């Protein structure tokens, strides 16, 4: 079973994804990291030197390569689940969980790492982008609302409680797994 984490920049897809994978005992993949290692340069440089369309093509290719995984938690980038083909792919190949954080939290977190994020121009355009993307994020199978003061462990715990029970059956039927 594959779980795809969806959400805007700063939602915590990577940190929560790592913890979720650890708790479920399945591998973790971060789409942004896969792009960075396959291109050999940071995201900001990929955007600057090769352009956003190139980044989006790599993002789509690497997302598609996850279809061969049997089990995994995959943290997507903030833009991944806003393109029709990617949305259809994720809906067909796994369970999608939208991590919905208050916009004030997102803005603060994005601002802290603004230099790394090519999509960051100013707060007003970021808010606009968020509003536009919301329609796509809401297509995820599950929406998890997170609160500012919640820890990663608490968020992960609540996420696990919302996962369909059949999923745990699929995981425990893995060869060599006794649970
Ligand atoms: C992007 C979000 C980033 C990264 C790239 C583009 C976006 O991922 O994929 O900078 O379009 O929102 P995070 O959401 O992990 O920051």
């Amino acid at each position: 079973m594959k779980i795809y984490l969806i959400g805007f920049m700063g939602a915590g897809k990577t940190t929560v994804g790592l913890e979720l994978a650890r708790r479920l005992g399945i591998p973790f993949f971060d789409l942004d990291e896969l792009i960075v290692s396959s291109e050999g340069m940071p995201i900001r440089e990929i955007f600057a030197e090769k352009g956003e369309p190139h980044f989006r093509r790599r993002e789509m290719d690497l997302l598609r390569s996850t279809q061969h995984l049997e089990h995994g938690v995959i943290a997507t980038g903030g833009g991944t689940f806003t393109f029709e083909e990617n949305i259809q792919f994720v809906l067909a190949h796994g369970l999608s969980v939208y991590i919905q954080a208050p916009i004030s939290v997102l803005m603060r977190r994005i601002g802290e790492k603004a230099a790394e994020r090519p999509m960051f121009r100013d707060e007003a355009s970021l808010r606009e982008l968020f509003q536009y993307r919301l329609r796509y994020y809401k297509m995820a199978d599950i929406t998890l609302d997170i609160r500012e003061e919640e820890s990663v462990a608490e968020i992960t715990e609540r996420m696990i409680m919302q996962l369909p029970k059949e999923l745990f059956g699929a995981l425990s039927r893995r060869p060599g797994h006794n649970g």
Side-chain angles (χ1 to χ4, degrees):
M1 166 49 87
K2 292 182 279 288
I3 301 172
Y4 292 89
L5 299 184
I6 310 298
F8 205 61
M9 293 168 264
K13 303 178 291 287
T14 302
T15 29
V16 173
L18 267 166
E19 178 65 6
L20 179 67
R22 193 188 66 77
R23 289 279 311 270
L24 298 178
I26 61 178
F28 171 74
F29 301 89
D30 182 279
L31 215 50
D32 284 338
E33 269 174 29
L34 294 177
I35 300 170
V36 167
S37 57
S38 78
E39 294 283 300
M41 58 173 89
I43 290 182
R44 186 164 263 284
E45 254 174 72
I46 304 174
F47 269 68
E49 288 183 19
K50 302 186 172 179
E52 185 177 346
H54 175 82
F55 175 85
R56 296 301 174 195
R57 270 195 302 278
R58 296 298 296 136
E59 181 177 49
M60 189 187 292
D61 290 348
L62 287 160
L63 176 68
R64 287 189 172 277
S65 73
T66 63
Q67 71 180 298
H68 305 296
L69 297 170
E70 193 179 352
H71 298 296
V73 173
I74 300 110
T76 65
T80 316
F81 199 75
T82 66
F83 293 93
E84 184 62 27
E85 283 133 294
N86 294 348
I87 295 171
Q88 293 311 327
F89 174 87
V90 168
L91 294 178
H93 289 88
L95 182 83
S96 44
V97 182
Y98 167 37
I99 305 179
Q100 176 158 270
I103 183 102
S104 55
V105 173
L106 297 175
M107 290 300 148
R108 182 173 46 71
R109 290 185 187 164
I110 296 169
E112 284 162 7
K113 281 195 175 176
E116 292 170 25
R117 294 193 153 107
M119 299 303 286
F120 180 83
R121 272 170 225 105
D122 54 73
E123 199 173 309
S125 56
L126 215 54
R127 280 176 188 271
E128 219 172 278
L129 184 66
F130 175 75
Q131 285 307 324
Y132 168 76
R133 287 179 168 178
L134 214 46
R135 74 201 69 188
Y136 302 115
Y137 295 157
K138 297 229 177 252
M139 293 167 75
D141 298 313
I142 294 173
T143 295
L144 187 76
D145 273 302
I146 63 158
R147 292 180 293 271
E148 177 157 21
E149 66 286 359
E150 260 181 311
S151 69
V152 173
E154 284 166 338
I155 295 166
T156 309
E157 184 61 35
R158 280 204 302 118
M159 192 180 286
I160 289 173
M161 288 194 304
Q162 286 202 31
L163 296 176
K165 300 292 161 277
E166 309 84 74
L167 185 105
F168 300 100
L171 290 178
S172 63
R173 284 194 297 277
R174 280 175 298 168
H177 190 280
N178 306 315

